[in-house]
Every structure is written in C-alpha cells, then in structure tokens.
Amino acid sequence: MTDKTSKKLTEVEGIKARSNYLRGTLVQSLADSTTGSLAEDDAQLSKLHGFYQQDDRDIRSERTRQKLEPDFSFLIRIRVPGGIASPAQWIALDELSRKYANSSLRLTTRQAFQFHGVRKVNLKTTIAEINKCLLDTIAACGDVNRNVMCTPLAEKSEVHKGAYDLAIALSAHLTPQTSAYSEIWLDGKKQGKTPDVEPIYGKTYLPRKFKIGVAIPPSNDVDIFSQDLGFIAVEEKGKLVGFNVAVGGGMGMTHGEPETYPRVADVIGFCLPEKAVEVAEQVVCVQRDFGDRTNRKHARIKYTIDDGGLDWFNTELSERLGYSLEAPHPYKFTTRGDQFGWSKNTQGKWDLTLFIPEGRISNNAQQNLLDGFRDIAKLNIGDFRLTANQNLVIAGIGDEERKPVEKILQKSGIGKAQNISLLRKDMLACVALPTCGLAMAEAERYAPELSAKIAALLETHGLANEPVSLRITGCPNGCARPYLADIGLVGKAPGRYSLFLGGSSDGRRLNKLADENVGEPEILKILDDLFVRFIAERETNENMGDFFDRVVVSQAQSDNAQLQATEAG
Ligand code: SRM
Ligand code: SF4
C-alpha cells in the first residue's frame, strides 16, 4: 500500500469531520437571502443531502460582464433504488418539476431522477415534498453509497425479484443514519440528547462516492463492471442461488493524467443471497478504512485495490467477514441495451419499454414527454421503471389498458418518436452543458445531431441494423460510461472530443483511445473509413466493438513499432 499517513487530508475530509454529521451551516446558508448560493463548505455538504449547487453556464460570462453573481440554481437528485416509481410518485415529481424546477425530469444513467434549476429559496419545500411521496434525496450524491442499480423488471422471474430485493436491501442498509437530514428538510426536530452515530460510515463517511449495481445475466444493462461493487445473480434451475461479487470498477479519469484511469471490476468470488448485504458492508468498510483521503482523484476503491493488490484486498475482506468467498460461478453476459416495445411479463401483464432521448422528460417541439407521462400516470394502471440506459418502462398494464396508453403516446408524439435508428435508441449521453459545472463540451444537447449523422453514415454503408453503442460525455468523468461503448466520445473543449473505440457487448472490456481532441468532421471521417473497413475486413460474426478493438490495438502496435524503429535508427 502507498503511504497515505504522512500526507495531508483533503479539504473535504475536514468539512465532513467538522459538519456534525452533515449539518454544517446549511440552515444558515439556506436562510441567507443576500445570495443564491450556499457557503463554500455547505456546497460540499449539500451533495450528501442529494443536491448540487450549479449556475447557468450559457450566461455565466455575460453575468460576469454585468458584475452580477452567477445565475445559481440547484440540481436535486432523487434516489430510486432498482428504478421503480409508482404513478403517484410520478405525478408528485411531475408537479414539483413544473413548480420548482425547469419543467423537466431527467432520468439519470443510474436510474435516478434529477431536477435542474431549483432556486435556493425552494430547496426546502422541494425536498420535503419529495419525501412526502416516499422518495428521498439523502446519499443520492456525496461520499457515500449512491443509488443502487438493478434491472427494474422485478416480475420477469424469481431471480429478477431476488436481485431487485437485494438492491432495495443494500440501499436501505447503506443509507446514512444521521438525523441531520430530517432535522433540516423534514420535521425540523433538533438533534436529541443522544448524538448521531453512523455505524458503518463513521463521522467522515467514505473517502469518495461508492456505487453498487446488481446484474442478472445474460443482461448487463447496469454495466456491472463499471461499479465499485457489483453483484451478478447466479441462477440454477430457475432459482437464485447466490451472487458473484465484483469489485473495483470505476469510470472517471482526467485528460492528460495517466495516474487516473477507468477500470473494470474484478470478479472475486461468490456469496449466498443471505450473505450479500454483509459482504457489501465489509467491502464498504475496507474502502472506508483504506481509501485515499489525501487525494480525491485517487480515492475510489479502484485505486485502493490497485495500490494494495487484489490478493491483499481479498485477504482483508475475508478477515473482516470471518470467511472467504467461494470461487465465482460461471456466468455469461450477452447484451446491455433495453428491449423496446411491448412484452408480456410472467404475471400476464404488459410492459412497455420506451426510448427517452437522453433521459430528458420535458415538452418540446417533437414530443410532449412531460404531459404524456403525466397523463399515463393519471390512468393509475402501471408503474414507472427507470432503466440503466436512461429509458422508461411503463410496467404491469392489462390487456384492455393498452389502448388508452397507446392513445396518449400517439397524442403526445411519444409514439412517433420511437421510430428512430437503432444507434440512437442505444445511445447514452450525460447532461453536460449548460448545468454541469465540469463540462468541457456539449453532450445531451449535441447527442441528437451527432447520432443522426453517424446513423446516416451507417445507413449509407448498409450497416443500419448493426448493433453499435455510442456514448458521449462532456468531460472525462464518464457519467454516461463512455469507456465501455463501441464508440465513446469524451469532451475536451467546446466542439472537441477524445475518441475511444472498441468496447465489448458484454461490458467487460474498456475501449481504447483512438484519437484525441477531434471535432465533428474528423470524427465522421474516422468512422466512415472504419465502417468501410468493417465491411471488408470483419471476421465471421465479429461485431463492431470487437472489430474496432482489433483495429485500434493493431494500429497502436504498428505506431509503437515505427516509433521504436525510428528511435533505434
Ligand atoms: Fe456523474 C460528477 C451527472 C452518473 C462519474 N456527475 C457529476 C456532476 C454532479 C458534476 C459535478 O460534480 O459538479 C454531474 C451533474 C450534471 C448535471 O447538471 O446534471 C454528474 N453523473 C451525472 C448524471 C446525472 C449523468 C446523466 O446524464 O445521467 C448521472 C447521475 C447518476 C445518479 O443518478 O446517481 C451520473 N457519474 C455517473 C456515472 C455513471 C454511473 O454511475 O453508472 C459515472 C461513472 C462511474 C463512476 O462513478 O466511476 C459518473 N460524475 C462522475 C465523476 C467522476 C468520478 C471519479 O471517480 O473520477 C464526477 C466528478 C467527481 O465526482 O468529482 C461526476
Ligand atoms: Fe458533467 Fe462530465 Fe459528468 Fe458529463 S461526464 S455530466 S460533463 S461531470
């Protein structure tokens, strides 16, 4: 292990330690009407309560010119473990989005909801109302376990139900216990005589964010290898017999800093269903105790594992558990995308999976998603399932209820908008501009245009039916998991991206950097050439991701050989 003891802890560690279990001076910050922002320390603490301070970047420089403070507003993230929300919850969120946010609901890449554009003065009411509908925001962001991901179709089989139940149990077990949340946002009761305790986290919580997913093979919809901790359901004769355990995934990196990198998780063993929560707790505790609290860019569990080695990690985990995990059971992933359209579930009801462009539920010129889904929720017939691919399933619809749903879909334009390219339907894009403070380039707003151009290229080459995953993010943090896509675009500067190629359909292989700092014309040219080569050179049954991997790797090898030859000469 690297020695972190002599180094100074990060500022965020001090803020958490001083915060009295996440209180800080949030109450005073909220009451300060002289600014739309929070005090600096509170802006850090707010994340653990599920909201982020942002400002409208489209008008940032104009406001600076006018000597005005930035146009502050807040993102609120609402946890939905396993992604299932009731019609009543949908209606409540819809109303809040219209009243206090920017009249949009964002379905995130981790199956949560986000509001954007909430003003400081409305934070308390909005968070209280969210809790009234039995959802919450605590631990949606910050240095704790985040929204737990899982295929939301819990009725699909006994195994799906078991996996979903685990997601709920993990989420509940790892939710912070501090009474600060209810004190500040809900009933306002002050901390009692007994001080708060965080039995799992302690008073400085985790060194960094922590993410858990539960996958059910053959679908790897939750991108299990991108999670800090993953549970892979193991089925035998239709029964859930346990979970393979994967640790050490993570996507974030920084351009030009090779010591930061995306990493896929290692499968370290197998546990029985009844042991999964205690395994998760102990993995979290190893990370709590050994994660690097001196450098936030090196604080995720992927670095803890790489620093100590997987053997060290496994020994540490076994010692804490009091037993070793069994050897992993065989498993195979074949897909990651959503299956669109109507399908009948095991309860004899219908599920309808709908493509939601970039996960943004709003009314726009093409379709009235916000109005349409509110009308469907008002029918009170099926519930709402958020997928890991930013899409939505209306689940549990009876035979005779299909017609009214179809009618609303047609009227709102949602139905018509489903007829788009395969590439587009499988695409992921992060939020980026104008709200994300870290964005270096566009993602959500550019995704429709870019995907249309790439889809047109595929069409020209007769490849429109070829499955290709395209993911774009506005910066290297990787919020749309771009390093696992066949084509990953990672923002570097306005209109400029790093191009990564060659993910695998099982989500196990990271793609590789093919070109840096390229704009749209270069991106389209590179892809056009590669599509031509794909047709000419693809091996039997080779898919686009595998082909790209082969081409990029061999290109890198030949570049390397050339370089060595030049140096030797
Ligand atoms: Fe993310 C930070 C949005 C999923 C890696 N992410 C952010 C912030 C909060 C920017 C900030 O810190 O100021 C973004 C807010 C933008 C906005 O205006 O909404 C943001 N992340 C998102 C969402 C909304 C993207 C989306 O389009 O859906 C996703 C919310 C998920 C949720 O519901 O919890 C989102 N973020 C992810 C994922 C994907 C995942 O979790 O499966 C990743 C990669 C996986 C991982 O964590 O390794 C991800 N976000 C990051 C990172 C890089 C962390 C790192 O280890 O380096 C940051 C920056 C940071 O933490 O410092 C970040
Ligand atoms: Fe923002 Fe970067 Fe995440 Fe996109 S990937 S939402 S730009 S932090």
Side-chain angles (χ1 to χ4, degrees):
M1 301 284 298
T2 50
D3 175 28
K4 294 153 198 157
T5 46
S6 54
K7 292 201 202 143
K8 209 168 149 254
L9 296 180
T10 63
E11 211 178 308
V12 178
E13 290 303 316
I15 295 172
K16 288 183 284 184
R18 291 192 298 275
S19 74
N20 184 17
Y21 294 95
L22 308 185
R23 284 172 180 78
T25 54
L26 267 166
V27 171
Q28 291 88 321
S29 265
L30 291 174
D32 179 0
S33 57
T34 61
T35 167
S37 67
L38 302 173
E40 220 173 298
D41 287 9
D42 296 326
Q44 284 300 331
L45 287 178
S46 72
K47 300 178 186 179
L48 290 104
H49 292 258
F51 64 100
Y52 272 77
Q53 181 171 300
Q54 304 186 311
D55 71 285
D56 185 342
R57 293 187 55 190
D58 284 348
I59 55 169
R60 191 187 273 177
S61 43
E62 177 54 23
R63 289 190 62 99
T64 313
R65 205 183 58 75
Q66 292 187 21
K67 302 205 165 37
L68 295 169
E69 77 168 11
D71 185 24
F72 290 116
S73 68
F74 294 82
L75 162 179
I76 300 182
R77 195 174 286 162
I78 300 150
R79 287 195 309 170
V80 195
I84 305 186
S86 68
Q89 287 170 333
W90 187 279
I91 292 169
L93 296 184
D94 170 283
E95 279 168 12
L96 290 172
S97 83
R98 293 170 198 257
K99 208 164 165 187
Y100 300 123
N102 62 354
S103 290
S104 89
L105 272 174
R106 181 59 152 67
L107 313 183
T108 75
T109 52
R110 289 195 72 75
Q111 298 176 280
F113 289 107
Q114 268 187 196
F115 290 146
H116 288 105
V118 180
R119 299 291 176 189
K120 185 170 87 170
V121 63
N122 293 322
L123 277 171
K124 186 163 176 157
T125 317
T126 312
I127 293 177
E129 290 293 320
I130 291 166
N131 279 267
K132 261 194 205 156
C133 73
L134 304 181
L135 289 167
D136 63 24
T137 64
I138 188 167
C141 328
D143 296 345
V144 276
N145 177 52
R146 307 284 191 90
N147 198 42
V148 180
M149 293 174 76
C150 181
T151 307
L153 300 176
E155 297 79 10
K156 216 169 164 183
S157 72
E158 215 176 282
V159 178
H160 283 74
K161 176 75 173 66
Y164 176 75
D165 288 347
L166 174 62
I168 300 295
L170 290 167
S171 177
H173 190 71
L174 296 170
T175 297
Q177 302 293 302
T178 174
S179 56
Y181 186 78
S182 61
E183 183 182 307
I184 298 172
W185 309 107
L186 308 177
D187 53 21
K189 262 193 226 132
K190 289 268 173 292
Q191 186 178 13
K193 282 209 178 85
T194 341
D196 278 312
V197 272
E198 288 286 8
I200 297 176
Y201 295 120
K203 68 185 215 186
T204 48
Y205 296 81
L206 294 180
R208 204 62 165 89
K209 56 178 75 170
F210 192 88
K211 298 180 173 181
I212 306 184
V214 186
I216 307 148
S219 170
N220 185 13
D221 54 351
V222 300
D223 266 328
I224 203 75
F225 302 109
S226 72
Q227 312 281 339
D228 294 77
L229 171 61
F231 288 96
I232 302 168
V234 179
E235 173 186 342
E236 276 169 23
K237 297 186 184 132
K239 300 258 174 263
L240 177 69
V241 295
F243 295 93
N244 286 324
V245 180
V247 292
M251 295 280 98
M253 57 167 257
T254 306
H255 288 305
E257 293 185 15
E259 62 282 12
T260 65
Y261 47 83
R263 183 186 192 278
V264 283
D266 293 291
V267 177
I268 57 166
F270 168 90
C271 70
L272 295 172
E274 59 273 22
K275 297 282 182 200
V277 171
E278 76 182 26
V279 169
E281 178 179 327
Q282 292 312 328
V283 171
V284 165
C285 290
V286 175
Q287 166 63 359
R288 176 197 64 199
D289 297 343
F290 290 95
D292 187 351
R293 291 178 187 262
T294 68
N295 176 2
R296 289 185 69 78
K297 283 194 178 180
H298 185 256
R300 297 290 293 272
I301 198 171
K302 60 184 174 183
Y303 301 117
T304 314
I305 291 174
D306 280 348
D307 286 355
L310 202 55
D311 288 344
W312 161 80
F313 183 86
N314 285 335
T315 309
E316 186 66 36
L317 179 64
S318 306
E319 274 170 15
R320 288 170 188 242
L321 284 167
Y323 56 87
S324 296
L325 297 177
E326 286 176 36
H329 287 215
Y331 64 93
K332 191 172 163 77
F333 290 118
T334 53
T335 60
R336 286 191 292 159
D338 294 328
Q339 306 300 312
F340 294 98
W342 291 99
S343 63
K344 206 155 202 175
N345 67 32
T346 48
Q347 322 289 303
K349 296 272 190 178
W350 291 95
D351 296 339
L352 174 62
T353 306
L354 292 161
F355 163 66
I356 309 295
E358 290 70 62
R360 180 72 67 180
I361 308 277
S362 61
N363 294 333
N364 59 44
Q366 285 77 42
Q367 45 181 340
N368 291 328
L369 289 142
L370 198 64
D371 290 353
F373 288 122
R374 180 186 56 187
D375 292 348
I376 292 175
K378 281 185 176 164
L379 295 175
N380 197 20
I381 47 176
D383 55 23
F384 291 80
R385 314 274 171 111
L386 282 58
T387 80
N389 293 302
Q390 300 176 311
N391 295 314
L392 190 64
V393 184
I394 318 271
I397 300 170
D399 287 332
E400 62 298 340
E401 292 155 358
R402 277 182 60 162
K403 246 203 180 129
V405 170
E406 291 276 14
K407 215 167 143 193
I408 295 171
L409 293 176
Q410 292 321 316
K411 189 174 151 223
S412 58
I414 300 171
K416 198 166 159 215
Q418 301 299 305
N419 300 322
I420 32 110
S421 67
L422 200 60
L423 177 90
R424 178 92 179 92
K425 274 191 162 170
D426 212 18
M427 182 178 189
L428 290 185
C430 75
V431 177
L433 294 163
T435 51
C436 179
L438 306 177
M440 300 168 175
E442 296 281 353
E444 179 180 329
R445 295 195 294 197
Y446 177 42
E449 187 187 329
L450 175 75
S451 58
K453 289 180 179 164
I454 300 178
L457 272 185
L458 285 166
E459 176 108 44
T460 314
H461 293 294
L463 294 169
N465 293 325
E466 197 61 41
V468 186
S469 70
L470 169 66
R471 298 179 176 183
I472 179 168
T473 57
C475 85
N477 283 320
C479 298
R481 304 184 286 272
Y483 310 110
L484 292 168
D486 297 339
I487 306 171
L489 286 163
V490 174
K492 211 160 178 201
R496 315 294 295 178
Y497 297 84
S498 290
L499 174 66
F500 290 81
L501 295 174
S504 58
S505 51
D506 63 358
R508 182 117 215 201
R509 182 180 62 222
L510 291 171
N511 50 23
K512 294 173 184 69
L513 182 64
D515 218 327
E516 261 185 298
N517 203 20
V518 280
E520 187 183 285
E522 295 111 300
I523 294 166
L524 294 179
K525 173 82 178 68
I526 294 168
L527 292 178
D528 196 23
D529 291 348
L530 282 171
F531 294 156
V532 173
R533 286 187 61 188
F534 178 64
I535 295 167
E537 299 170 31
R538 94 189 275 191
E539 289 171 356
T540 316
N541 294 330
E542 191 175 34
N543 64 35
M544 194 84 80
D546 292 346
F547 173 75
F548 284 166
D549 182 59
R550 197 155 59 79
V551 169
V552 177
V553 170
S554 69
Q555 184 62 45
Q557 280 165 349
S558 89
D559 289 352
N560 216 4
Q562 250 176 22
L563 188 72
Q564 279 172 1
T566 321
E567 279 168 2

